[in-house]
């Protein structure tokens, strides 16, 4: 039976589309069956609707606090028997309550070589710091911010005349390559979390 993926996104959705393409091309033995957004007009959610994927919008204002908001999302995910939750430009920090419900089953993509430059504006942080290399990281989500066990990373050079936009674009190409790859490894049962490390079994 095919694995079942839920994607959480807030914006453009290019990583979501890269994952979707990989599932459709048979590169990932799973399908995206649910997309959840906290931004009604997120272009990523528009794409999901066009693809005919069930798409749910949760409005933070409708809930008294972060935990009840996250629990409503978690209930929707659980009802649909989801195996893996992929954060794809989801611009909210998940509550520990949410993370604990899906331990080892939430992945995130971050546009830097973690643990360098966690949080927002990672590409700008890299440029401002003056590093020669940055990149992308796919990791499991734990209760911290961008701190969970690292699955895959890709390195890109940072050039002296880079702007946040030019660097982001270079990193994004790698994001679209390594995110589907990490999800494939997950569904092939090849990822093992031991402490803060992820071991990848031979295929
Ligand atoms: C991506 O670059 C992703 O790595 C980043 O947001 C962008 C979303 O683009 N995520 C974070 O910064 C998370 N802290 P997308 O909507 O086109 O996939």
């Amino acid at each position: 039976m095919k694995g079942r993926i839920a994607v959480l996104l807030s914006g453009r959705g290019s990583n979501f589309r890269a994952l979707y393409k990989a599932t459709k091309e048979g590169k990932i033995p799973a399908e995206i069956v649910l997309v959840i957004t906290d931004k009604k007009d997120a272009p990523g959610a528009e794409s999901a609707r066009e693809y005919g994927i069930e798409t749910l919008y949760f409005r933070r204002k409708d809930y008294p606090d972060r935990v009840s908001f996250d629990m409503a999302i978690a209930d929707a995910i659980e009802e649909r028997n989801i195996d893996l939750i992929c954060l794809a430009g989801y611009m909210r920090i998940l509550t520990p309550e949410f993370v604990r419900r899906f331990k080892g089953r939430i992945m995130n993509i971050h546009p830097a070589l973690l643990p360098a430059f966690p949080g927002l504006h990672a590409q700008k942080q890299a440029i401002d710091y003056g590093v020669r290399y940055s990149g992308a990281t796919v990791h499991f989500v734990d209760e911290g911010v961008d701190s969970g066990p690292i699955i895959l990373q890709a390195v890109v050079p940072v050039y002296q005349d880079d702007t946040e936009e030019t660097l982001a674009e270079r990193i994004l190409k790698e994001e679209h390559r390594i995110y589907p790859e990490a999800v494939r490894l997950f569904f092939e049962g090849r990822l093992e979390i031991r402490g803060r490390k992820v071991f990848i079994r031979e295929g």
Side-chain angles (χ1 to χ4, degrees):
M1 214 177 67
K2 273 195 170 179
R4 295 167 66 79
I5 302 171
V7 173
L8 270 59
L9 58 81
S10 304
R12 182 177 52 186
S14 72
N15 276 289
F16 156 63
R17 284 187 292 276
L19 289 171
Y20 176 77
K21 188 163 170 272
T23 60
K24 285 292 156 191
E25 288 172 354
K27 292 181 181 154
I28 299 174
E31 56 188 336
I32 300 171
V33 295
L34 178 64
V35 169
I36 290 178
T37 185
D38 62 329
K39 293 274 184 290
K40 195 170 178 209
D41 301 323
E46 294 293 330
S47 300
R49 289 183 201 105
E50 278 168 26
Y51 299 155
I53 299 171
E54 183 183 14
T55 305
L56 303 177
Y57 162 52
F58 286 83
R59 190 164 64 168
R60 173 64 182 83
K61 272 198 304 199
D62 292 341
Y63 300 87
D65 52 44
R66 286 178 60 219
V67 173
S68 49
F69 176 74
D70 270 10
M71 289 303 100
I73 292 176
D75 289 344
I77 290 172
E78 238 162 43
E79 279 164 19
R80 288 160 181 82
N81 294 314
I82 298 299
D83 301 299
L84 179 69
I85 300 166
C86 291
L87 308 184
Y90 185 63
M91 292 309 185
R92 280 181 188 280
I93 295 167
L94 296 172
T95 56
E97 287 81 357
F98 184 98
V99 174
R100 280 199 289 266
R101 269 176 78 167
F102 303 101
K103 203 170 182 321
R105 294 196 291 135
I106 313 172
M107 274 187 200
N108 183 39
I109 180 98
H110 183 75
L113 291 176
L114 291 171
F117 314 130
L120 293 176
H121 308 296
Q123 302 93 337
K124 182 172 187 310
Q125 290 186 57
I127 288 174
D128 291 349
Y129 197 93
V131 292
R132 298 294 186 200
Y133 293 92
S134 190
T137 303
V138 185
H139 64 94
F140 283 113
V141 173
D142 67 6
E143 292 178 26
V145 176
D146 299 326
S147 59
I150 290 169
I151 304 164
L152 294 176
Q153 292 187 302
V155 178
V156 309
V158 181
Y159 300 124
Q160 290 187 176
D161 59 354
D162 262 333
T163 62
E164 195 178 341
E165 289 71 32
T166 58
L167 178 59
E169 195 182 323
R170 195 173 308 120
I171 292 173
L172 199 62
K173 282 206 185 88
E174 294 301 305
E175 295 185 36
H176 295 167
R177 186 175 65 78
I178 66 172
Y179 208 176
E181 174 73 10
V183 173
R184 179 175 68 82
L185 292 169
F186 178 90
F187 282 103
E188 288 176 355
R190 291 170 59 191
L191 300 179
E192 188 190 331
I193 306 173
R194 279 190 244 153
R196 71 148 298 109
K197 288 190 191 170
V198 176
F199 289 82
I200 302 175
R201 292 199 203 90
E202 292 290 314

